[in-house]
Amino acid sequence: MSDESASDVLARVRAAERRGDFLGAFDLARRGLETFPGDLKLGHRAVLALARSGATAGARAMLASLGATTDDELVALDARLWKDEALAATGELRAQLARDAAARYAALHARNGASYPAINAATLHLIAGDRVHATELAERALALTLAEKPTGDSLDAYWRAATAAEAALVLGRLEVAREHLVAARRANPDDHAALASTRKQLALVCAVRGCDPELIEALRPPAVAHFTGHMIGDRFAASSEPRIAAAIVAALVRHDVGYGFGSLASGADILFAEALLARDAELHVVLPFDAEQFARTSVALAGESWVTRFHACLARASSVTYGTLDASTDDTDALYAYGGQLAMGLALLRAGFLATHAVQIAVWDGKPARGVAGTGADIATWRRRKLVTDVIEIHDGSDLPFITSPPRVSPMHVKAILFGDIKGFSKLRERDVPKFVDYVLGACGRVLDECEVDIRNTWGDGLYLVLPTAGAAAHCASKLQAAIRSLDPAKIGPIGLRLAGHVGPVFDCFDPVIKQRSFFGSHVTRTARIEPVTPEGEVFVTEPFAAALALGDDNFACDYVGDVPAAKGFGNLRMCVLKQRGREA
C-alpha cells in the first residue's frame, strides 16, 4: 500500500463494496487510514462498510475516532447509525429512535437542502407513525430529485432514481415508484452494495405501507450460490461432462447467480467454477486444506487436464479460503466436511450482506453420502436449514451397487471451541481465592451445567470449553457473560470475562495427564490465540464461527471487528464480536 495514493486505496475500497465484500472493504479502508491518517473519505468508507455489515456499535466507535466534524457525509453517516439502531429495535423504542434519527436527517436537509437527507427523514417519520411529516418531506425529496440535472455519472443517476422511487413509495404512488425503480436498476448494473442498501430500506417502506414487496424485486442483487457435486469417477462419467456443463450454465442463468462459493474438485466443482468465471460472476473457492494436497487427492485422479483446469480456476478466483493448512492426518473426511460447511456458511453471510437469495446448486445422483462429507452431506445440511437446492440429476452410477458400510470411527470432529479469561483474578488477595472459586467459578459451573458442553476445563482464571456446535457455543458464551455481569463486585471485587470462539476440526483423544477425554489440534491453538486480544466483557469469534452460525442459528449476529492480529505472532484473523439479537451477548 506504500506506493498507493489515498485515491488508489479509496478506489479499491469502493470496488470491494460494490461486490458486497464489506469486511474486505473495511480492512482496506482501515489500513489506508494507517498510511493516510485523518483522510475523511477513507474514514467515511470504513464506517460505512461496518454499518453495511451490520456492525453498528463498531461503526459508531469508528466514527467517534474520526473526531467532531461538520462534513456532510459524516453527519449523514451519524444519522444513518441512529437509523440502524432504530430499525434493530421494536415497538415504541423503534418509534422513538426513528424520530430521533429523522430529526438528525431533517437538520442536515435544512442545512444543505439535499434530497438524500430529506427522503431518509421522510421514511423514518413513516416508520415512527408520523405520516404528516413523512408526506411533507417525501414531496420535497421527490421535487428536488426531479429538478436535479443529470451529471452523466451512472451511480448519481441511480441514486436520483432510487430516491424518487422511495419518495413515491412513501407517498403511496406505486406506479410512479415502479417507473423509477426500473430506471434505477438500468443505471446500476454492478454496484450490488448500493442495490442491497436501497432494497433493504424500500422493504421497510413496503411493510409500513402494506405494498406488495414484489414491487422492489427489480433492485435485488444477483443471487449467491453454494455449489457442490460429484467428482469424475463412478458417479460422474467423463462422457457426461458436456451435458452437465450445459445444465450448470442454465442453472446459473436461471437463478441469476453473481457469486459462487464451493470447492474445486474434478467434475462438478470445476465445471461450476468455469461457468461462474465465464459469466463474470465472482468465484470464491473454499478448500479443506492446502491446494497442492487437494489437487493430488481430489483432482489428479481424473487426469492431468483437470489439474490444469484446477490451477486456472484457482488463479482467477476472487478469494481462496483454506479450512486448515495442515492436513497431515490420514483422516481427511472431517476436513472435507468442515470445508463444505464453511463454504455454505460463507455463502449465507454474503447473501445476507447483499439482501439477496442464497441457493444451492448440486450435481447429484440422489444417493446419500458415503461418509460425513460429500454431495449428499452438503445437500442434507443445506436442507436442514430449509433452504432451496436446485439438483442437476446425474445417474452415471445407477447400475452400480451402492455400498454402504458402518461409519468409520474417526478421531477428528468439527467442534466449537471457547477460551475464556476472568479479569480481576490476578489482583485478588490470597485469602480471597477460595471465595473466587466458590462465587465466580461456581457461577460459571452452574451455567455450564445447563449448556451442551463436550468437555470443560479450568486453570485458575482460565476456561477451556468444547461444544458440539457454534449455536451451542454462542448460547453458552452469552449465558456466561450474563452470569459474570450479574455478580456483586462488593463480594469479590471488579470481575470481567473475555471469551474467544472458533469452529474447526479437532482430535478427540484421551489425555493421559488429566486422565480425561479432551480435544487437541491447531484449531484449539488458534482459539487460544484469540482470547488475549478480546476486550473484557466481549465474545470475539472467527469468521468460520460466524459462518457456522449463519448455517445453523438465527438467534445471534456476528458484528465484524476487523482483520485482528492474534496473540504470540499467530497471524491476522478476521474477527467478529458475538451479539445476541435484541440484546448484547
Side-chain angles (χ1 to χ4, degrees), residues 145-156:
T145 302
L146 297 178
E148 290 174 358
K149 294 181 179 179
T151 63
D153 179 83
S154 61
L155 194 56
D156 183 58

Side-chain angles (χ1 to χ4, degrees), residues 186-254:
R186 190 184 306 119
N188 180 9
D190 59 6
D191 191 334
H192 300 160
L195 292 174
S197 178
T198 305
R199 190 174 171 279
K200 287 177 182 177
Q201 180 138 325
L202 296 192
L204 294 168
V205 179
C206 285
V208 175
R209 296 283 316 185
C211 306
D212 185 348
E214 185 66 26
L215 181 69
I216 61 173
E217 279 299 291
L219 296 187
R220 185 182 291 278
V224 180
H226 169 254
F227 57 86
T228 184
H230 299 307
M231 296 192 299
I232 295 295
D234 60 355
R235 299 170 78 174
F236 185 166
S239 59
S240 294
E241 180 185 336
R243 180 181 70 82
I244 296 300
I248 286 172
V249 169
L252 296 179
V253 172
R254 184 165 60 250

Side-chain angles (χ1 to χ4, degrees), residues 272-283 312-314 316-318:
F272 274 115
E274 291 172 340
L276 285 163
L277 293 170
R279 62 185 271 113
D280 291 326
E282 285 195 10
L283 169 63
C313 291
L314 200 66
R316 294 181 60 194
S318 296

Side-chain angles (χ1 to χ4, degrees), residues 485-514:
R485 284 195 296 267
S486 71
L487 297 179
D488 183 359
K491 292 185 178 181
I492 196 68
I495 292 292
L497 175 65
R498 59 190 185 197
L499 285 167
H502 176 58
V503 170
V506 291
F507 287 100
D508 185 345
C509 302
F510 179 79
D511 187 331
V513 174
I514 62 174

Side-chain angles (χ1 to χ4, degrees), residues 455-457 459 464 507-520:
I455 66 112
R456 59 172 91 176
N457 202 350
W459 45 91
Y464 167 46
F507 287 100
D508 185 345
C509 302
F510 179 79
D511 187 331
V513 174
I514 62 174
K515 302 295 183 183
Q516 292 178 9
R517 175 193 184 204
S518 192
F519 291 89
F520 300 87

Side-chain angles (χ1 to χ4, degrees), residues 343-390:
M344 286 183 271
L346 291 174
L348 291 175
L349 286 175
R350 180 60 64 90
F353 289 157
L354 289 174
T356 192
H357 295 304
V359 62
Q360 183 181 66
I361 307 176
V363 175
W364 187 40
D365 60 10
K367 297 176 182 177
R370 291 169 174 164
V372 297
T375 305
D378 286 349
I379 291 171
T381 299
W382 192 262
R383 286 178 171 174
R384 277 197 298 272
R385 195 71 167 77
K386 301 188 185 307
L387 297 167
V388 174
T389 299
D390 185 351

Side-chain angles (χ1 to χ4, degrees), residues 369-572:
R370 291 169 174 164
V372 297
T375 305
D378 286 349
I379 291 171
T381 299
W382 192 262
R383 286 178 171 174
R384 277 197 298 272
R385 195 71 167 77
K386 301 188 185 307
L387 297 167
V388 174
T389 299
D390 185 351
V391 175
I392 297 170
E393 295 185 0
I394 187 168
H395 301 290
D396 290 350
S398 59
D399 57 342
L400 298 174
F402 186 75
I403 301 172
T404 59
S405 56
R408 183 164 57 93
V409 177
S410 170
M412 183 171 263
H413 306 276
V414 177
K415 295 289 184 179
I417 308 155
L418 292 175
F419 268 89
D421 178 75
I422 301 173
K423 189 174 178 61
F425 176 79
S426 61
K427 296 180 180 179
L428 291 176
R429 294 171 297 180
E430 190 72 12
R431 69 185 187 190
D432 291 329
V433 170
K435 188 188 301 182
F436 171 87
V437 172
D438 179 62
Y439 188 54
V440 179
L441 293 185
C444 294
R446 287 188 291 275
V447 167
L448 297 180
D449 289 342
E450 299 174 354
C451 296
E452 296 179 81
V453 182
D454 288 332
I455 66 112
R456 59 172 91 176
N457 202 350
T458 182
W459 45 91
D461 58 346
L463 296 174
Y464 167 46
L465 310 170
V466 178
L467 304 98
T469 64
H475 283 279
C476 183
S478 176
K479 291 176 180 178
L480 283 170
Q481 287 289 14
I484 293 297
R485 284 195 296 267
S486 71
L487 297 179
D488 183 359
K491 292 185 178 181
I492 196 68
I495 292 292
L497 175 65
R498 59 190 185 197
L499 285 167
H502 176 58
V503 170
V506 291
F507 287 100
D508 185 345
C509 302
F510 179 79
D511 187 331
V513 174
I514 62 174
K515 302 295 183 183
Q516 292 178 9
R517 175 193 184 204
S518 192
F519 291 89
F520 300 87
S522 62
H523 290 268
V524 175
T525 306
R526 179 180 300 186
T527 316
R529 298 296 179 261
I530 302 167
E531 176 266 307
V533 301
T534 302
E536 178 186 345
E538 298 285 13
V539 183
F540 268 23
V541 299
T542 60
E543 189 174 44
F545 190 107
L549 268 185
L551 192 59
D553 198 307
D554 290 327
N555 295 304
F556 293 86
C558 296
D559 294 355
Y560 191 54
V561 174
D563 204 29
V564 178
K568 298 186 179 181
F570 201 75
N572 285 22

Side-chain angles (χ1 to χ4, degrees), residues 288-325:
F289 35 76
D290 75 273
E292 291 308 315
Q293 181 171 347
F294 182 83
R296 288 194 300 272
T297 59
S298 301
V299 184
L301 293 177
E304 190 59 35
S305 65
W306 285 98
V307 176
T308 301
R309 293 163 74 176
F310 165 81
H311 285 295
C313 291
L314 200 66
R316 294 181 60 194
S318 296
S319 72
V320 181
T321 301
Y322 299 96
T324 186
L325 293 179

